[in-house]
Amino acid sequence: MRNDHTHFPAQVYKESVLTPLFNDFKQHFYEELMDINYAHCVMLAEQKIISLEEAKRILAGLREIEATIDLASLEYTGEYEDIFFFIESELINKIGLDVAGKLHTGRSRNDIDITLYKMKIKGYLHGLIGNLADLVGSLLEVAQKHKATLVVAYTHGQPAQPTTFGHYLGSIIEILERDLERLFQAYRMCDKSSMGAAAITTTGFSIDRHRVADLLGFREPQENSYGCIAAVDYLTQVYSALKILFISLGRVTQDLGYWTGFEVAHLYVPNEFVQISSIMPQKRNPVPIEHLRIMASIVNGHCDTVINAMHNTPFTDMNDAEDPIQVVGFAAFSTAERMLRLFTELVKGLSVNEEKVQEHLAASFASVTELADSLVRAEGISFRQAHEIASAVTKELLEEGKILTDLEYERFRRIYATVMQREPQISMDQLSEYVKPDYFVAVRECFGGPGVNHLTRSLLRYEEQLDYYREELKGLLAQTALAEARLKEAVDSCLQYLA
Amino acid sequence: MRNDHTHFPAQVYKESVLTPLFNDFKQHFYEELMDINYAHCVMLAEQKIISLEEAKRILAGLREIEATIDLASLEYTGEYEDIFFFIESELINKIGLDVAGKLHTGRSRNDIDITLYKMKIKGYLHGLIGNLADLVGSLLEVAQKHKATLVVAYTHGQPAQPTTFGHYLGSIIEILERDLERLFQAYRMCDKSSMGAAAITTTGFSIDRHRVADLLGFREPQENSYGCIAAVDYLTQVYSALKILFISLGRVTQDLGYWTGFEVAHLYVPNEFVQISSIMPQKRNPVPIEHLRIMASIVNGHCDTVINAMHNTPFTDMNDAEDPIQVVGFAAFSTAERMLRLFTELVKGLSVNEEKVQEHLAASFASVTELADSLVRAEGISFRQAHEIASAVTKELLEEGKILTDLEYERFRRIYATVMQREPQISMDQLSEYVKPDYFVAVRECFGGPGVNHLTRSLLRYEEQLDYYREELKGLLAQTALAEARLKEAVDSCLQYLA
Amino acid sequence: MRNDHTHFPAQVYKESVLTPLFNDFKQHFYEELMDINYAHCVMLAEQKIISLEEAKRILAGLREIEATIDLASLEYTGEYEDIFFFIESELINKIGLDVAGKLHTGRSRNDIDITLYKMKIKGYLHGLIGNLADLVGSLLEVAQKHKATLVVAYTHGQPAQPTTFGHYLGSIIEILERDLERLFQAYRMCDKSSMGAAAITTTGFSIDRHRVADLLGFREPQENSYGCIAAVDYLTQVYSALKILFISLGRVTQDLGYWTGFEVAHLYVPNEFVQISSIMPQKRNPVPIEHLRIMASIVNGHCDTVINAMHNTPFTDMNDAEDPIQVVGFAAFSTAERMLRLFTELVKGLSVNEEKVQEHLAASFASVTELADSLVRAEGISFRQAHEIASAVTKELLEEGKILTDLEYERFRRIYATVMQREPQISMDQLSEYVKPDYFVAVRECFGGPGVNHLTRSLLRYEEQLDYYREELKGLLAQTALAEARLKEAVDSCLQYLA
Amino acid sequence: MRNDHTHFPAQVYKESVLTPLFNDFKQHFYEELMDINYAHCVMLAEQKIISLEEAKRILAGLREIEATIDLASLEYTGEYEDIFFFIESELINKIGLDVAGKLHTGRSRNDIDITLYKMKIKGYLHGLIGNLADLVGSLLEVAQKHKATLVVAYTHGQPAQPTTFGHYLGSIIEILERDLERLFQAYRMCDKSSMGAAAITTTGFSIDRHRVADLLGFREPQENSYGCIAAVDYLTQVYSALKILFISLGRVTQDLGYWTGFEVAHLYVPNEFVQISSIMPQKRNPVPIEHLRIMASIVNGHCDTVINAMHNTPFTDMNDAEDPIQVVGFAAFSTAERMLRLFTELVKGLSVNEEKVQEHLAASFASVTELADSLVRAEGISFRQAHEIASAVTKELLEEGKILTDLEYERFRRIYATVMQREPQISMDQLSEYVKPDYFVAVRECFGGPGVNHLTRSLLRYEEQLDYYREELKGLLAQTALAEARLKEAVDSCLQYLA
């Protein structure tokens, strides 16, 4: 220690850490850093912590840097620890140390870093929310078109009941609208500026944290200054919300996989999404569905990486929540965006193979529960008796290799009479109605059910909800755009001072 | 297949799956199942799907079962697939199949299962939110007491600046109040009844899903019936919210670990939380802190287990989201509860070793930044010059093995004069003030900072916020209690029919 | 601190931590602790660190404790910190402090704890390896029976080629034999005794660490004493090996799920594994397959919990790797065991629905690649031409709604002649051979392929490999049994001293 | 479906999937693909499946492509699905379809893909094993230098006993050598060629799978062909081994963090690894240690992403285990490599602050256990009495604010006499020896302990073990180099045929 003649940075540290950090910063954070510089400077002048003249020189210097900087060719030399110091040194070169040095009054790299992370993530959330709203929009369109198109609903992986494609999609839409809600909730946690926390404890200068928040498009400053630089729940919440979404989307993807399986074939994938084998002309591989699944898994993985990196770290300013992990998070967002866009278009291209659906509904006796239910209502008999009749009918038909719609009135009459010791009152037409899949669906006019009236009302509610979220997104985008305009105007007005 | 003479259940299936399921159900779900039975029956009668007389017999039968059942000694025999069927068979024994069989009209085990999972989780959330509110209450108490007690704030794991224990705790309180918000958000996702979805698609009977939701204490029925039994985002959101909380608590725990380290010793842990070695009488092991960390890790692990079990499952009724995984989730809640209770009491017992804090603040020159800042304001000199002076002062003192409060006026004067080419104007008293840690804190009167006025206001806001959440919890508990009363009354009133 | 009048343990600590720890210890670690006591005492006497007379009294005391202890009714009172201290105090009661106190010479709770964790895990690995070997045995039996039974092999979730069930199972067997290898590797990491590391740094007494290892059934002592109590890679390796296994088994489970899907139906699940619906007599739910999946997910989740709890802990003796997390690991093992047993029996019950397989092989033209390949060999034409012919054939048949085995010689001849400008030389018999699925399989006599000769050889190798692993397991069990005998004998012989 | 006029690829699929895939392939897999092309072609000729003349034309074509291809400027147009087809089309352009088409005989993209993944991972493992061996080498060097340098060993985060830095590092070395073992085990799982599995079931052509394995540097072909393309345990094992390593390294990093904390200061980090603050000249932030931790967390995260992406996928050829996830794995390796290199250099730069260590050992009475142990041996008294004396001594000294080495003979004598009712026999010199930290270490001459003789022997064993692993790595590198030479020679010799 006494004889420490080494100098920072060690070659290995430069190569393994500082250079990658520098390149990441260039690519991801430069613009946000400049906005923070402008906003902080404007506030310092407004609070009279620096003079208007000083502010004017700083702002002009920053504008000049922006106009002339060549980021692409900038390479890490070790002369400046990072882009932050590089910009500061450029500013010093242009306007002198005495004034340039005042820009850093009442702030630190700590509050700057967390603030720009939040700005980036807010931007990514704008995109993601927009993409998700588009997906919901697509699903709604398809659901509207398929309000009455039958599909097979499963329990335990086996055909269970008929429903409609519109009803199935409705269930997905509902979840995704809850995801929109979760993403807005996560957004609000990021919408709190850390500027003014300085290193940890704010500053003795009379800065205005609300004004800086305002100029940077934040709804408000985050209060406790220690939390401003050390809390990571904005990160964990955002990436949890993302993971919740992609766990759900992955499950829908599994359905698509099964339904497009050769033997199942309930859904038809158009050629534009089908990879073909050169030798097997009949082979249609809906590979995009596999890619949806792996993309969802990768998003989930990156989200976990971000969240778990926080595990067992101390609560303090630490690199664990900084650039390297933020960049992993951005990769989650960019994979997420590709996945959502592909999903949105694929969904629009899908069509239901109604013949196959009918074939499997029939072969699986999927509508037999309704025969019993209908007998209860039409014959006034008890549930238990109705079930006995339906079971006997099914058993006989299965043994003869027949399907439910093959049910002959005579067979029904005989079984009914045996069980009930009297003749049935329903007509042959009624009987053949009771076993049809579309009748099964039609009678399910219940809140949240597939009956067309209720489904129509549900879809309407989803539309309204989607409109609501789209408005909310517009509001956030407007807040950001307004802040940008406000910042530009404040800078311009300062630059015109005494001019 | 033709020659399949086997009978359900295979011995291995009974042992490896059905028996454990049965025992779990007995322990966790029996009461909720009975409530669902009562509520569904009441609704069926109200909707005239069954007669009042039938309802009366069913309800009386259920009451009798409750009065006489001996759950503890009930063992899985394979005669009934599960507790659901056992209760049904008991009911049949008591009131006959014809009436007993009507209870299951317009519902299925699918909607029952998801509904009772949500009831359980809502109950666990009541407890967890209460425990978390207690922890925040404890933290607020301690923070109030320590608004002015100095502690060391760190960056990069090194002492950086003085702040107060109250300010540090304020940052934790703010995060935990956001966690309360997240838990309420998650609660709302569980507060939607699935009853009436039946197997998947609702039913053709004119059930009233809102009424059942009401009788079971839910805010509303969940709409789409497919989603009612297949969506799992209620689960993923709840366990994500739990994990977000315990990631944050684990970080605070790491601070406690460092601050109670022998060499650091900023916090004193009272004897009641200290394990002692029989041979090393000086050794004080604050083992509860380690247990906080491992409990947080275990909660996180169980949350991940629940969430990740949903990965790549199909979107359909599947055991992946059912009993076995629910029970893992309950283990997360019960570990969480133990952790929160221990944390709450431990926090109340901690005291700050003010001597050690002062020693380390001094030795680490943690307040030197304020000397420079103060010179800027008092001498009207530029930042750059002030920093040069502060640096020179620090360097000299360090070389002589002195600390900042050792700074002699003459030394300061000499350095100031060298840098500024003039004498300083501040007095000796001012100078000695500028280097004191409590002065450092006192001038930080900024929104969210440690200055006592602002901190006092922050703590007040946190109190109000906590009160608000406590009211919200009370509201949820009242909603549950009211529903219980409503259900009891509806059952009683039906039982008195014609009586 | 000066005024700390509290006494250990705080009520909350007792309830939230100490009592659960005590109960876990009773349930899981008592027997291993006693073995360690015996073995350590024997070694102390052999090394003359204590006298034979002292050893005799200690061992007799321990035997008496074992004979009289009533673990079940033992409740945590706080009088003894844990079971370790309880046993020590019992011993003191029986033989007096002076001699009883010598048992703890040259050891500490640290080395005892890690040693007994390893003993437990070795026991669990014995069971798991045995269960896995049984599963492989079952798979081999079924594979032998189905060396020639056709099934559909998939790529991208679509039927691609015919193969045999034996060949498919061979692929699983190969993986599981690699898992056996991984489990033995993990076992070897646990097979190193930590005894003698004492608290961290061994001891100044001339203990014999190899002898204690020997008496406890370990292959050897772990060397570095700090690592003995702080390294956790024995844990992370064991639970990684477990997770690798269950990730693979989960994938096979997904295949079973698809193949038993109603529309696919390539595998028939016998009644004993099928849950039936009361109303839908045709519905056959192979629910055990779902349970296999969720059990695999839960094992994976518990493994992750154990491994991730180690993340960002310090390298030192810490509770993070101790009782609470060990117990989570044991839950992984016990779920794993149930899963393996169910899988083993289910596999034996499965049968192939050969008709369905043939139907789907035909409808999917799965064997068409071999037509082209065979033409290359039989007609001496180029690959490219052969493919052109096969493609044209396929296209025509598909358009006419025919399948590959419908291919008429005349159609083939016409297409062949058009492409090749000459007549084909192959006979009609040859042609109809080339398009058959079993011909497809039969010609694949290649190392690792489904051709019956090569498959037979593969299965033989797997048998041999399984025998080898079974011998290895026997060796480990023998090592344990021998050590038990050795320990008992040493204790007995010491007890007979001077008797 | 009848009216499907769309054409592959959809624009969105091209943008969201195909283009990124194309670019990844260019960057990561081109060279391995070409090697596979050469090796497969050589084998086809040797097996007389194609003629030597044909092989010669193919190989010449491939060589020409290699000589002229401009990968950097290659952009995805959609004309070729991927690089594989692009190369094939280039080959066709150069040598005509008839011959070019024969290259793909007896193989498929499935076996090619998995084979090239294994080739890549083997290459990454070569690098990683080399880096890890270098780290172990560094640790050994430092451990040799510090065989006798005292450090503080901790339990429960509190100073517990003295040991040496060499002994501490020995524990890490032992773990890392086990990691080397695990990495070699994982390597062996990747060292099995999948070539010849073709799509799934091998081929009817008489290919030689062993020969191709040989030419590509694999130890052997993987046997079962279905497993060759569908098993993923090579992936899960490699990334588990990586995670096990980085969990351990992360724990050592936590120790470095604590030991370089300002208040602890047992380790000194040289300037070249210390980031300094412009205003706080005394502040020394060993930021590289934080980066080690976050890099370890990121490696762990990427490993989990790869492993968990396999969860609940079917066992079949699927994109889940292909390019996109492989690339995430490569990111784990490249972060791992940077982390290991930084760790290796940092370790070499660390020095022990012996003064601080002595101060904290003394203040924490860390060596007091040895006083009692020594009295047992020197005075022939019982353990219990010795401990009573040591405790009384400690209590008195602590009350007077003294440390253990302050112990006066008279005080000892008095306490001894009170407890034992006789005078002690040991001399004053003996007494002062018994309480010294280096005596504590010196007497711990036990297998695996810090006593210098045993530690020296341990380090020697570690050296030998490291040499062994270095030889093993050399062997693997030689195997690869030899195969490259063999392949080149085989190609050259074929190209010279008839020339």
Side-chain angles (χ1 to χ4, degrees), chain C residues 168 175 246-256, chain D residues 230-233 310-318 321:
Chain C
Y168 171 78
I175 295 170
F246 280 81
I247 287 282
S248 285
L249 288 175
R251 299 178 76 226
V252 183
T253 305
Q254 290 292 76
D255 282 4
L256 297 186
Chain D
V232 298
D233 59 324
M310 305 301 113
H311 176 241
N312 282 346
T313 57
F315 179 80
T316 176
D317 165 53
M318 274 289 170

mmCIF file of all heavy atoms in Angstrom, chain C residues 168 175 246-256, chain D residues 230-233 310-318 321:
data_model
loop_
_atom_site.group_PDB
_atom_site.id
_atom_site.type_symbol
_atom_site.label_atom_id
_atom_site.label_comp_id
_atom_site.label_asym_id
_atom_site.label_seq_id
_atom_site.Cartn_x
_atom_site.Cartn_y
_atom_site.Cartn_z
ATOM 1 N N TYR C 168 -37.486 -44.516 -30.187
ATOM 2 C CA TYR C 168 -37.804 -43.310 -29.425
ATOM 3 C C TYR C 168 -37.398 -43.496 -27.965
ATOM 4 O O TYR C 168 -36.708 -42.654 -27.378
ATOM 5 C CB TYR C 168 -39.308 -43.001 -29.515
ATOM 6 C CG TYR C 168 -39.754 -41.902 -28.569
ATOM 7 C CD1 TYR C 168 -39.521 -40.573 -28.870
ATOM 8 C CD2 TYR C 168 -40.381 -42.214 -27.360
ATOM 9 C CE1 TYR C 168 -39.911 -39.558 -27.997
ATOM 10 C CE2 TYR C 168 -40.769 -41.221 -26.478
ATOM 11 C CZ TYR C 168 -40.533 -39.891 -26.805
ATOM 12 O OH TYR C 168 -40.900 -38.887 -25.934
ATOM 13 N N ILE C 175 -30.388 -40.580 -22.515
ATOM 14 C CA ILE C 175 -30.311 -39.364 -21.692
ATOM 15 C C ILE C 175 -30.314 -39.726 -20.218
ATOM 16 O O ILE C 175 -29.511 -39.209 -19.430
ATOM 17 C CB ILE C 175 -31.513 -38.441 -21.996
ATOM 18 C CG1 ILE C 175 -31.444 -37.933 -23.428
ATOM 19 C CG2 ILE C 175 -31.546 -37.258 -21.023
ATOM 20 C CD1 ILE C 175 -32.709 -37.225 -23.882
ATOM 21 N N PHE C 246 -34.901 -33.473 -14.333
ATOM 22 C CA PHE C 246 -36.338 -33.214 -14.402
ATOM 23 C C PHE C 246 -36.727 -32.285 -15.547
ATOM 24 O O PHE C 246 -37.869 -32.312 -15.992
ATOM 25 C CB PHE C 246 -36.876 -32.768 -13.042
ATOM 26 C CG PHE C 246 -37.085 -33.972 -12.153
ATOM 27 C CD1 PHE C 246 -36.024 -34.537 -11.467
ATOM 28 C CD2 PHE C 246 -38.313 -34.602 -12.108
ATOM 29 C CE1 PHE C 246 -36.198 -35.687 -10.711
ATOM 30 C CE2 PHE C 246 -38.493 -35.749 -11.369
ATOM 31 C CZ PHE C 246 -37.438 -36.294 -10.655
ATOM 32 N N ILE C 247 -35.779 -31.501 -16.026
ATOM 33 C CA ILE C 247 -36.042 -30.772 -17.273
ATOM 34 C C ILE C 247 -36.229 -31.791 -18.402
ATOM 35 O O ILE C 247 -37.176 -31.695 -19.194
ATOM 36 C CB ILE C 247 -34.870 -29.803 -17.590
ATOM 37 C CG1 ILE C 247 -34.889 -28.584 -16.649
ATOM 38 C CG2 ILE C 247 -34.923 -29.364 -19.051
ATOM 39 C CD1 ILE C 247 -35.894 -27.512 -16.986
ATOM 40 N N SER C 248 -35.363 -32.795 -18.469
ATOM 41 C CA SER C 248 -35.487 -33.808 -19.518
ATOM 42 C C SER C 248 -36.775 -34.613 -19.364
ATOM 43 O O SER C 248 -37.493 -34.850 -20.340
ATOM 44 C CB SER C 248 -34.280 -34.752 -19.506
ATOM 45 O OG SER C 248 -33.150 -34.101 -20.054
ATOM 46 N N LEU C 249 -37.072 -35.037 -18.137
ATOM 47 C CA LEU C 249 -38.287 -35.827 -17.944
ATOM 48 C C LEU C 249 -39.541 -35.021 -18.263
ATOM 49 O O LEU C 249 -40.524 -35.553 -18.775
ATOM 50 C CB LEU C 249 -38.359 -36.342 -16.502
ATOM 51 C CG LEU C 249 -37.362 -37.448 -16.158
ATOM 52 C CD1 LEU C 249 -37.436 -37.788 -14.677
ATOM 53 C CD2 LEU C 249 -37.626 -38.699 -17.003
ATOM 54 N N GLY C 250 -39.489 -33.716 -17.968
ATOM 55 C CA GLY C 250 -40.626 -32.858 -18.300
ATOM 56 C C GLY C 250 -40.864 -32.812 -19.803
ATOM 57 O O GLY C 250 -42.012 -32.720 -20.260
ATOM 58 N N ARG C 251 -39.786 -32.891 -20.568
ATOM 59 C CA ARG C 251 -39.936 -32.864 -22.021
ATOM 60 C C ARG C 251 -40.575 -34.158 -22.535
ATOM 61 O O ARG C 251 -41.427 -34.128 -23.426
ATOM 62 C CB ARG C 251 -38.588 -32.617 -22.707
ATOM 63 C CG ARG C 251 -37.980 -31.264 -22.299
ATOM 64 C CD ARG C 251 -36.629 -31.062 -22.962
ATOM 65 N NE ARG C 251 -36.790 -30.710 -24.355
ATOM 66 C CZ ARG C 251 -36.104 -31.236 -25.361
ATOM 67 N NH1 ARG C 251 -35.200 -32.163 -25.128
ATOM 68 N NH2 ARG C 251 -36.332 -30.858 -26.603
ATOM 69 N N VAL C 252 -40.154 -35.270 -21.976
ATOM 70 C CA VAL C 252 -40.776 -36.536 -22.371
ATOM 71 C C VAL C 252 -42.263 -36.504 -21.990
ATOM 72 O O VAL C 252 -43.122 -36.964 -22.744
ATOM 73 C CB VAL C 252 -40.074 -37.722 -21.678
ATOM 74 C CG1 VAL C 252 -40.674 -39.036 -22.152
ATOM 75 C CG2 VAL C 252 -38.575 -37.677 -21.949
ATOM 76 N N THR C 253 -42.535 -35.935 -20.829
ATOM 77 C CA THR C 253 -43.921 -35.811 -20.388
ATOM 78 C C THR C 253 -44.755 -35.024 -21.397
ATOM 79 O O THR C 253 -45.920 -35.360 -21.654
ATOM 80 C CB THR C 253 -43.971 -35.129 -19.008
ATOM 81 O OG1 THR C 253 -43.147 -35.875 -18.110
ATOM 82 C CG2 THR C 253 -45.381 -35.064 -18.471
ATOM 83 N N GLN C 254 -44.166 -33.970 -21.962
ATOM 84 C CA GLN C 254 -44.907 -33.206 -22.979
ATOM 85 C C GLN C 254 -45.245 -34.092 -24.181
ATOM 86 O O GLN C 254 -46.336 -33.991 -24.737
ATOM 87 C CB GLN C 254 -44.099 -31.983 -23.449
ATOM 88 C CG GLN C 254 -43.947 -30.883 -22.414
ATOM 89 C CD GLN C 254 -45.235 -30.171 -22.067
ATOM 90 O OE1 GLN C 254 -46.065 -30.712 -21.340
ATOM 91 N NE2 GLN C 254 -45.434 -28.976 -22.572
ATOM 92 N N ASP C 255 -44.323 -34.948 -24.571
ATOM 93 C CA ASP C 255 -44.617 -35.878 -25.664
ATOM 94 C C ASP C 255 -45.786 -36.791 -25.287
ATOM 95 O O ASP C 255 -46.710 -36.992 -26.084
ATOM 96 C CB ASP C 255 -43.395 -36.753 -25.979
ATOM 97 C CG ASP C 255 -42.354 -36.013 -26.794
ATOM 98 O OD1 ASP C 255 -42.545 -34.801 -27.038
ATOM 99 O OD2 ASP C 255 -41.348 -36.627 -27.177
ATOM 100 N N LEU C 256 -45.715 -37.348 -24.074
ATOM 101 C CA LEU C 256 -46.813 -38.223 -23.638
ATOM 102 C C LEU C 256 -48.137 -37.471 -23.708
ATOM 103 O O LEU C 256 -49.172 -38.015 -24.109
ATOM 104 C CB LEU C 256 -46.586 -38.722 -22.211
ATOM 105 C CG LEU C 256 -45.360 -39.605 -21.969
ATOM 106 C CD1 LEU C 256 -45.382 -40.128 -20.537
ATOM 107 C CD2 LEU C 256 -45.321 -40.767 -22.959
ATOM 108 N N ALA D 230 -32.684 -34.191 -30.548
ATOM 109 C CA ALA D 230 -33.714 -33.712 -29.630
ATOM 110 C C ALA D 230 -33.257 -33.609 -28.175
ATOM 111 O O ALA D 230 -33.840 -32.848 -27.406
ATOM 112 C CB ALA D 230 -34.947 -34.611 -29.711
ATOM 113 N N ALA D 231 -32.226 -34.337 -27.789
ATOM 114 C CA ALA D 231 -31.770 -34.248 -26.393
ATOM 115 C C ALA D 231 -31.131 -32.880 -26.166
ATOM 116 O O ALA D 231 -30.443 -32.356 -27.034
ATOM 117 C CB ALA D 231 -30.762 -35.348 -26.103
ATOM 118 N N VAL D 232 -31.372 -32.314 -25.014
ATOM 119 C CA VAL D 232 -30.779 -31.005 -24.704
ATOM 120 C C VAL D 232 -29.940 -31.046 -23.436
ATOM 121 O O VAL D 232 -29.536 -30.017 -22.927
ATOM 122 C CB VAL D 232 -31.866 -29.917 -24.559
ATOM 123 C CG1 VAL D 232 -32.624 -29.733 -25.855
ATOM 124 C CG2 VAL D 232 -32.804 -30.226 -23.396
ATOM 125 N N ASP D 233 -29.667 -32.249 -22.951
ATOM 126 C CA ASP D 233 -28.913 -32.291 -21.697
ATOM 127 C C ASP D 233 -27.471 -31.847 -21.864
ATOM 128 O O ASP D 233 -26.837 -31.468 -20.883
ATOM 129 C CB ASP D 233 -29.008 -33.670 -21.016
ATOM 130 C CG ASP D 233 -28.491 -34.792 -21.887
ATOM 131 O OD1 ASP D 233 -28.683 -34.733 -23.120
ATOM 132 O OD2 ASP D 233 -27.895 -35.722 -21.336
ATOM 133 N N MET D 310 -35.809 -24.625 -21.914
ATOM 134 C CA MET D 310 -36.085 -26.029 -22.249
ATOM 135 C C MET D 310 -37.308 -26.566 -21.506
ATOM 136 O O MET D 310 -37.855 -27.608 -21.871
ATOM 137 C CB MET D 310 -34.887 -26.927 -21.879
ATOM 138 C CG MET D 310 -33.554 -26.525 -22.478
ATOM 139 S SD MET D 310 -33.614 -26.506 -24.283
ATOM 140 C CE MET D 310 -33.410 -24.754 -24.598
ATOM 141 N N HIS D 311 -37.699 -25.856 -20.442
ATOM 142 C CA HIS D 311 -38.770 -26.331 -19.557
ATOM 143 C C HIS D 311 -40.095 -26.484 -20.304
ATOM 144 O O HIS D 311 -40.534 -25.547 -20.985
ATOM 145 C CB HIS D 311 -38.935 -25.305 -18.417
ATOM 146 C CG HIS D 311 -40.067 -25.608 -17.475
ATOM 147 N ND1 HIS D 311 -41.117 -24.741 -17.298
ATOM 148 C CD2 HIS D 311 -40.310 -26.674 -16.681
ATOM 149 C CE1 HIS D 311 -41.954 -25.252 -16.421
ATOM 150 N NE2 HIS D 311 -41.498 -26.423 -16.023
ATOM 151 N N ASN D 312 -40.689 -27.640 -20.163
ATOM 152 C CA ASN D 312 -42.002 -27.901 -20.767
ATOM 153 C C ASN D 312 -42.023 -27.780 -22.279
ATOM 154 O O ASN D 312 -43.087 -27.561 -22.867
ATOM 155 C CB ASN D 312 -43.076 -26.989 -20.159
ATOM 156 C CG ASN D 312 -43.542 -27.455 -18.789
ATOM 157 O OD1 ASN D 312 -43.272 -28.577 -18.391
ATOM 158 N ND2 ASN D 312 -44.249 -26.612 -18.074
ATOM 159 N N THR D 313 -40.873 -27.912 -22.917
ATOM 160 C CA THR D 313 -40.888 -28.064 -24.377
ATOM 161 C C THR D 313 -41.053 -29.547 -24.669
ATOM 162 O O THR D 313 -40.723 -30.387 -23.839
ATOM 163 C CB THR D 313 -39.563 -27.588 -25.007
ATOM 164 O OG1 THR D 313 -38.480 -28.323 -24.418
ATOM 165 C CG2 THR D 313 -39.354 -26.106 -24.786
ATOM 166 N N PRO D 314 -41.559 -29.893 -25.847
ATOM 167 C CA PRO D 314 -41.618 -31.311 -26.205
ATOM 168 C C PRO D 314 -40.217 -31.827 -26.503
ATOM 169 O O PRO D 314 -39.303 -31.048 -26.772
ATOM 170 C CB PRO D 314 -42.478 -31.321 -27.461
ATOM 171 C CG PRO D 314 -42.358 -29.959 -28.037
ATOM 172 C CD PRO D 314 -42.117 -29.028 -26.891
ATOM 173 N N PHE D 315 -40.074 -33.137 -26.412
ATOM 174 C CA PHE D 315 -38.811 -33.774 -26.773
ATOM 175 C C PHE D 315 -38.847 -34.034 -28.269
ATOM 176 O O PHE D 315 -39.340 -35.055 -28.731
ATOM 177 C CB PHE D 315 -38.657 -35.086 -26.006
ATOM 178 C CG PHE D 315 -37.401 -35.827 -26.338
ATOM 179 C CD1 PHE D 315 -36.199 -35.444 -25.764
ATOM 180 C CD2 PHE D 315 -37.403 -36.878 -27.230
ATOM 181 C CE1 PHE D 315 -35.029 -36.116 -26.070
ATOM 182 C CE2 PHE D 315 -36.228 -37.553 -27.544
ATOM 183 C CZ PHE D 315 -35.044 -37.170 -26.962
ATOM 184 N N THR D 316 -38.367 -33.118 -29.031
ATOM 185 C CA THR D 316 -38.383 -33.250 -30.485
ATOM 186 C C THR D 316 -37.527 -32.115 -31.029
ATOM 187 O O THR D 316 -37.058 -31.276 -30.273
ATOM 188 C CB THR D 316 -39.833 -33.164 -31.012
ATOM 189 O OG1 THR D 316 -39.816 -33.204 -32.425
ATOM 190 C CG2 THR D 316 -40.491 -31.882 -30.585
ATOM 191 N N ASP D 317 -37.290 -32.134 -32.300
ATOM 192 C CA ASP D 317 -36.540 -31.044 -32.905
ATOM 193 C C ASP D 317 -37.353 -29.761 -32.810
ATOM 194 O O ASP D 317 -38.435 -29.657 -33.385
ATOM 195 C CB ASP D 317 -36.281 -31.360 -34.378
ATOM 196 C CG ASP D 317 -35.843 -30.127 -35.129
ATOM 197 O OD1 ASP D 317 -34.881 -29.483 -34.688
ATOM 198 O OD2 ASP D 317 -36.500 -29.792 -36.141
ATOM 199 N N MET D 318 -36.853 -28.797 -32.087
ATOM 200 C CA MET D 318 -37.609 -27.587 -31.819
ATOM 201 C C MET D 318 -36.655 -26.396 -31.766
ATOM 202 O O MET D 318 -35.529 -26.524 -31.278
ATOM 203 C CB MET D 318 -38.280 -27.703 -30.434
ATOM 204 C CG MET D 318 -39.617 -28.410 -30.451
ATOM 205 S SD MET D 318 -40.900 -27.373 -31.237
ATOM 206 C CE MET D 318 -42.240 -28.555 -31.375
ATOM 207 N N ALA D 321 -34.235 -24.942 -28.608
ATOM 208 C CA ALA D 321 -32.847 -25.220 -28.252
ATOM 209 C C ALA D 321 -31.896 -24.737 -29.343
ATOM 210 O O ALA D 321 -30.728 -25.100 -29.352
ATOM 211 C CB ALA D 321 -32.660 -26.719 -28.024
#
